Amino acid sequence: MLKRPVQLEARRAAALRVCSRFGCTGAALALLVAVVPARGEVSPPRATEAPAPAWPGGAPSPEDVLVPVELTVRADGTVEDARVEASVEPRLDAAALEAVRRWRFEPAVRDGRPVAAKIRVAVRFQGEDRQVAAPPSGGPPSPPAPAAASTPTPAPPASATAPASTTTTRDAPVRPAVEVVVVGARRPAPPVAASDFRVHVGQLRDVPRGSAEQMLTLAPGFYLENHSGEGHPSAVFLRGFSAGEGQDIEFVADGVPLNEVSNAHGHGYADSLFLIPELVRELRIVEGPFDPRQGDFAVAGTVSYELGLEPRGVIAEAGYGSFNTRELLLLWGPAGTPAGTFAGVHAEQGDGFGPNRAHAAARFLGQLELRRDEATRMFVTASGYVTRFDSAGVIREADVAARALDCPKDDDSQFFCLYDPNQGGAVGRFGASLRREHRGEAHADTQQLFATVRRLRMRENLTGYMTDVGAIGEPQRGDGTEQIYRTATVGARGSYTRWLDWLSHRQEAEIGFFARYDDGETRQRRLRRASGVPYRVDFDNDFGIGNIAGYVAFRFRPWRPLVLRGGVRLDTFFFSVEDRNRPTSDRSGEREPSDIVEALGVALGPRLSADMTLAPGLSVVASYGAGSRSSDAQALSDGEFAPFARVHAAETGLVFERGRGGPLELSARALAYYTRVERDLVLDETRGRNVLAGASNRFGALATARLVSSAGVDTQASLTYAEAYLPPAGASWYELTAGPRMPYIPRWVARLDTSVRRQVALGGERFQAGLALGTSYVAPRPLPLEQLGRDTLTVDAAGRLRWRMVEVGLEVTNALDRRNHAAEFNYASNFASPDAPPSRLAARHFAGAPPRQFLGTLRVYLGAPPEPEETKDATVP
């Protein structure tokens, strides 16, 4: 007789209570109702063969025992993966898993095609006593005690729920409800705007992208440039905005905000380089302020990284490449756990592709997904990131042409040379988050707490010897800047959503909140070019900044073809800033070298969109939104009503989707937009940061399409056009082209990504092979003083070959070895000598983009099965 632990009875009773609600038939029972998205009917898997489990040791206990199991049914009806949801006893758990792996199903079907699906079942070990007593009066009915069967009663459609009865016998089959979660083909929530992109990375992960920020190019219109080194976040250009390192784009990682308020390098600075790209499963990108859930900095839009690791097991990778680049990666997704449970460590080091470009970094990212019950999940996330890097900065194009730089005189050495070696930076970031999600039959709610500590030091020199104001007759000491930022951030967010059936359609309403507090310091000092020693303080602030926001959102369908979405958001900001760089005396005598400034501001932003279905898979979406960007603490006066940069945006476009979950999926969008910002920012090279430039107008259009084939081909293309102008005072909003063009904004951006995966046979062995190609083109960009920069063309390629648990790969970036400019500027500078008379004539400056680079990788999969064809994680945007 099997010896059961003390806890076995309680666990068995809990399983029987679930079973009693729906009834038990044969060897398996599905536990819950379907949670498949509304669009696209899905029929759940139906069991055709379910051999009864064998008792460990061959001796059953007197009573039945149920083991709850979650399993994935492939599109061919076989079981791909199984895990015990609540342990009963180790030997029973193992026997249950062994049994379900032999079961066979008719697969789930969406739109007439088989798809992979997850279901929950209860594996019954039948005891010697095959009868189950009826429950006490008023309690739930007891389940039947069916005899062992190899072919259980098939499950009905997901919407059916069988009533339980206290008189049910073991010979009367009960048709249980089924919980079905379609794998790889789940339809996301409808977009809030035509420019609302939900991008499952999928096969396009094969295209070389060395960081999480480079994954932004999976969405149309993004252009990245980096002039300050490997550890420095790229400047982001989107929708006609020169968003710097985040000033006009809200960045979020699994609910945690990344934008940093009053950062010395720029208000809104956002660094996503702490993320391990292999752990980014999906991106949601809303281009424009059209969702009430979007908060501060969502002027050009919002980027939300959603984390997860779909392959389970241990993945270890080592890489070596050009310029002595070394990488180590370790990922762990415990077998039998959901994709939300993972851990990853990544370390890299390299000498850089030219002088003063060495870099090193280490990252940790881990998450634990816990299921309290079938409707509630908890996520515990922790991250750590440290990096140090050198930077070559910018150089004058005329000096390169004249071979006047202090480097070897060949073309490449001059192109990748530098002026000031005292440039670079260091970053430390550690964070944690706790998130709870609950989804009931008519409501859902989410709560999250987060905390982050961060320290940054950045050094750069954009103008040489131009801005130093010293004693008369003394030479310039240099324009180098040292920016230091230290902050601790704590916050919370939450939402409550309610569904209501009205007018024969499902309606939705949501309320939510956001609260955040930052406590830190920000300062900038000037550095001597010769030694890097600070000689002057530009600003030195200690700050406490609070953001409290609330929103109301709705989704209303008055009739089937039309859906209205929208809401309103209220943001409140409080600033308390101590300026520690004040003079020690004034007209009245000596004084303390500090002042305290306090301010408060409120911004209200309505958002509304209308989605009209024109034909199956085709809809037209029109949207309007009002957003805001908070003020930099340095721009405030004591007691004032803190000003906001207000933005008004509108767009309309067509959205087309067909064949989702089938052998050929197609998604395409085309739209046009207009945006007006009341208080915009542009780069001031003498200050090394963005400064106010007045109102601005932007308009443009984009077209994008993604095609995914079950034959293993994933292709995406996009083309975007943008214009941005600074209208003169008094110009009407509809005078779109009044005033000068805003500099640095890419007008045309084109992107094409393709990935092909195939199963090949060599020497009697099966291999998984993959090839990927990514191409981007950026037309010449406007520069200050009506100048135009160079165009940029980049081609990246990658290949991989996997045999059993070993995979080798090769990545080539900038395969054409083109001498692109990573960044271009047009301003006055003096890098010749501190004694040379400074010229006020603007000159072309640039930072060289990386040349062709190779990276070879060796990856080992431990306990991770090959990717099945029917569960590819490719989802069109």
Side-chain angles (χ1 to χ4, degrees):
M1 191 73 65
L2 180 67
K3 301 296 184 181
R4 294 174 293 173
V6 176
Q7 297 90 345
L8 175 58
E9 184 64 28
R11 293 174 179 172
R12 184 181 66 82
L16 282 174
R17 283 196 298 270
V18 178
C19 183
S20 67
R21 181 178 177 183
F22 297 108
C24 296
T25 300
L29 171 71
L31 299 180
L32 295 175
V33 297
V35 293
V36 185
R39 294 185 181 179
E41 294 296 328
V42 176
S43 62
R46 299 170 182 265
T48 58
E49 297 180 21
W55 280 90
S61 67
E63 298 178 344
D64 289 2
V65 176
L66 296 179
V67 179
V69 176
E70 181 186 84
L71 55 90
T72 300
V73 180
R74 293 188 178 99
D76 63 3
T78 60
V79 175
E80 174 187 7
D81 189 23
R83 71 179 184 91
V84 174
E85 289 196 295
S87 177
V88 175
E89 197 271 340
R91 287 183 293 171
L92 286 172
D93 296 347
L97 293 176
E98 181 181 358
V100 298
R101 290 188 179 104
R102 300 196 304 269
W103 292 3
R104 296 294 181 267
F105 295 80
E106 291 180 4
V109 176
R110 183 198 289 276
D111 298 330
R113 299 182 179 88
V115 294
K118 285 183 181 178
I119 61 173
R120 289 187 172 97
V121 300
V123 180
R124 174 185 290 277
F125 291 83
Q126 289 198 349
E128 292 179 334
D129 183 359
R130 305 173 70 87
Q131 299 296 326
V132 179
S137 176
S142 295
S150 60
T151 307
T153 303
S159 60
T161 303
S165 172
T166 59
T167 60
T168 302
T169 68
R170 64 184 177 88
D171 296 321
V174 178
R175 297 165 69 85
V178 180
E179 178 180 32
V180 179
V181 181
V182 177
V183 178
R186 183 171 179 176
R187 188 177 296 273
V192 299
S195 57
D196 181 356
F197 299 93
R198 290 186 178 270
V199 184
H200 203 124
V201 181
Q203 278 188 217
L204 295 185
R205 188 182 304 277
D206 298 345
V207 179
R209 288 181 171 91
S211 65
E213 72 174 14
Q214 292 180 11
M215 299 176 76
L216 297 177
T217 57
L218 287 167
F222 278 90
Y223 171 64
L224 310 179
E225 69 171 29
N226 192 332
H227 66 276
S228 295
E230 289 289 335
H232 184 282
S234 297
V236 183
F237 297 85
L238 174 68
R239 210 176 177 90
F241 284 87
S242 174
E245 292 83 13
Q247 70 183 22
D248 289 322
I249 300 177
E250 179 189 27
F251 284 86
V252 181
D254 261 2
V256 178
L258 304 185
N259 299 84
E260 298 170 1
V261 295
S262 295
N263 189 301
H265 199 62
H267 183 52
Y269 182 95
D271 187 351
S272 62
L273 296 176
F274 75 96
L275 295 172
I276 300 174
E278 287 79 3
L279 295 178
V280 177
R281 182 170 55 171
E282 188 171 270
L283 292 90
R284 187 200 176 192
I285 298 172
V286 182
E287 299 186 6
F290 301 123
D291 191 334
R293 301 162 189 85
Q294 294 176 265
D296 192 21
F297 304 108
V299 176
T302 297
V303 173
S304 179
Y305 292 97
E306 298 182 14
L307 307 180
L309 178 65
E310 295 184 347
R312 312 316 287 161
V314 176
I315 302 175
E317 179 181 287
Y320 184 81
S322 303
F323 310 107
N324 200 28
T325 300
R326 292 145 285 168
E327 294 187 2
L328 290 174
L329 174 68
L330 181 63
L331 305 174
W332 178 41
T337 61
T341 296
F342 58 81
V345 176
H346 179 246
E348 63 178 337
Q349 188 173 4
D351 297 338
F353 55 85
N356 217 59
R357 288 179 172 88
H359 58 91
R363 302 170 178 86
F364 164 77
L365 188 60
Q367 182 171 275
L368 179 63
E369 178 181 345
L370 302 171
R371 294 191 178 185
R372 183 177 179 182
D373 51 46
E374 280 73 16
T376 306
R377 298 187 299 173
M378 301 283 291
F379 296 86
V380 182
T381 309
S383 64
Y385 170 58
V386 292
T387 185
R388 188 194 176 282
F389 60 94
D390 296 326
S391 172
V394 299
I395 54 179
R396 293 167 61 106
E397 193 172 57
D399 288 348
V400 174
R403 290 177 169 77
L405 297 174
D406 188 18
C407 288
K409 302 308 178 182
D410 60 283
D411 291 342
D412 280 356
S413 296
Q414 290 289 302
F415 188 85
F416 296 114
C417 199
L418 77 160
Y419 295 119
D420 189 346
N422 298 313
Q423 299 182 86
V427 175
R429 183 192 191 278
F430 293 85
S433 167
L434 174 63
R435 185 171 84 254
R436 174 190 177 273
E437 296 179 353
H438 174 81
R439 184 182 182 92
E441 294 183 0
H443 74 279
D445 60 88
T446 301
Q447 300 86 31
Q448 183 174 15
L449 300 173
F450 57 85
T452 305
V453 293
R454 178 170 166 85
R455 188 178 183 90
L456 172 147
R457 177 174 177 250
M458 200 80 67
R459 293 164 291 122
E460 63 182 3
N461 189 343
L462 298 178
T463 53
Y465 300 98
M466 291 285 292
T467 64
D468 182 25
V469 180
I472 297 176
E474 291 187 1
Q476 292 266 337
R477 290 168 288 185
D479 297 348
T481 60
E482 178 189 54
Q483 296 161 338
I484 299 173
Y485 184 74
R486 177 191 57 81
T487 186
T489 303
V490 295
R493 70 165 76 233
S495 66
Y496 176 82
T497 307
R498 182 77 179 182
W499 296 284
L500 174 67
D501 291 325
W502 184 44
L503 299 178
S504 301
H505 300 290
R506 174 62 58 91
Q507 318 297 346
E508 178 181 309
E510 179 179 325
I511 59 173
F513 73 90
F514 176 83
R516 168 180 173 173
Y517 183 75
D518 293 84
D519 183 85
E521 60 181 19
T522 179
R523 63 181 182 269
Q524 176 171 296
R525 302 188 293 187
R526 292 288 172 169
L527 305 179
R528 296 173 185 163
R529 182 179 166 190
S531 60
V533 173
Y535 66 85
R536 189 182 76 214
V537 176
D538 286 344
F539 58 82
D540 184 0
N541 296 328
D542 182 276
F543 64 83
I545 300 176
N547 175 206
I548 297 177
Y551 68 86
V552 177
F554 68 86
R555 179 179 179 270
F556 177 58
R557 185 189 291 268
W559 59 302
R560 185 170 184 81
L562 177 63
V563 178
L564 301 176
R565 302 181 186 88
V568 63
R569 182 183 180 94
L570 178 69
D571 274 286
T572 302
F573 280 87
F574 171 76
F575 302 84
S576 178
V577 183
E578 180 183 4
D579 184 350
R580 301 182 298 199
N581 190 39
R582 305 300 295 167
T584 58
S585 62
D586 56 20
R587 294 180 179 179
S588 300
E590 294 184 356
R591 53 155 293 169
E592 285 293 316
S594 66
D595 277 334
I596 294 179
V597 174
E598 293 175 340
L600 188 142
V602 178
L604 188 68
R607 290 95 189 260
L608 180 66
S609 68
D611 184 339
M612 173 69 75
T613 300
L614 304 179
L618 178 64
S619 61
V620 58
V621 185
S623 305
Y624 164 79
S628 61
R629 183 204 309 119
S630 63
S631 300
D632 191 334
Q634 299 179 57
L636 301 174
S637 300
D638 191 24
E640 75 170 313
F641 190 81
F644 283 79
R646 301 187 182 276
V647 57
H648 299 272
E651 74 169 26
T652 185
L654 295 173
V655 178
F656 177 78
E657 288 188 9
R658 288 305 296 259
R660 185 177 294 274
L664 194 65
E665 303 177 8
L666 175 63
S667 174
R669 302 189 188 196
L671 61 91
Y673 64 86
Y674 165 76
T675 305
R676 182 177 178 87
V677 181
E678 299 301 333
R679 292 162 53 90
D680 214 337
L681 301 171
V682 297
L683 175 69
D684 184 340
E685 62 280 351
T686 63
R687 301 188 190 183
R689 60 203 317 268
N690 292 313
V691 297
L692 288 172
S696 64
N697 287 325
R698 291 170 176 80
F699 58 93
L702 70 83
T704 181
R706 185 168 180 179
L707 181 68
V708 181
S709 169
S710 60
V713 179
D714 192 348
T715 299
Q716 178 174 273
S718 65
L719 177 65
T720 62
Y721 168 73
E723 292 281 11
Y725 287 85
L726 292 168
S732 300
W733 66 268
Y734 53 82
E735 296 181 66
L736 301 183
T737 59
R741 270 200 178 99
M742 289 193 68
Y744 310 120
I745 305 299
R747 300 179 66 189
W748 291 96
V749 178
R751 178 81 193 182
L752 175 64
D753 292 313
T754 300
S755 171
V756 179
R757 293 181 182 176
R758 287 285 191 273
Q759 296 279 347
V760 297
L762 297 173
E765 294 284 348
R766 295 187 65 189
F767 294 81
Q768 292 180 343
L771 293 174
L773 184 70
T775 303
S776 64
Y777 174 77
V778 180
R781 293 183 295 156
L783 299 177
L785 305 176
E786 302 298 325
Q787 298 295 304
L788 282 177
R790 293 187 181 182
D791 63 348
T792 300
L793 174 65
T794 305
V795 178
D796 305 321
R800 66 172 189 162
L801 185 66
R802 177 176 174 180
W803 174 68
R804 297 186 181 180
M805 59 184 293
V806 179
E807 177 183 286
V808 294
L810 177 64
E811 296 183 358
V812 185
T813 53
N814 191 12
L816 302 181
D817 201 24
R818 200 169 188 263
R819 293 296 174 262
N820 293 315
H821 289 176
E824 287 183 291
F825 307 95
N826 196 47
Y827 56 78
S829 68
N830 172 26
F831 287 99
S833 167
D835 298 318
S839 171
R840 297 301 176 183
L841 296 177
R844 187 74 55 89
H845 297 70
F846 74 92
R852 180 169 52 222
Q853 298 184 77
F854 296 88
L855 178 67
T857 59
L858 175 64
R859 176 174 288 193
V860 178
Y861 297 82
L862 301 175
E867 300 171 11
E869 291 296 321
E870 65 274 17
T871 60
K872 289 188 181 298
D873 60 352
T875 303
V876 292

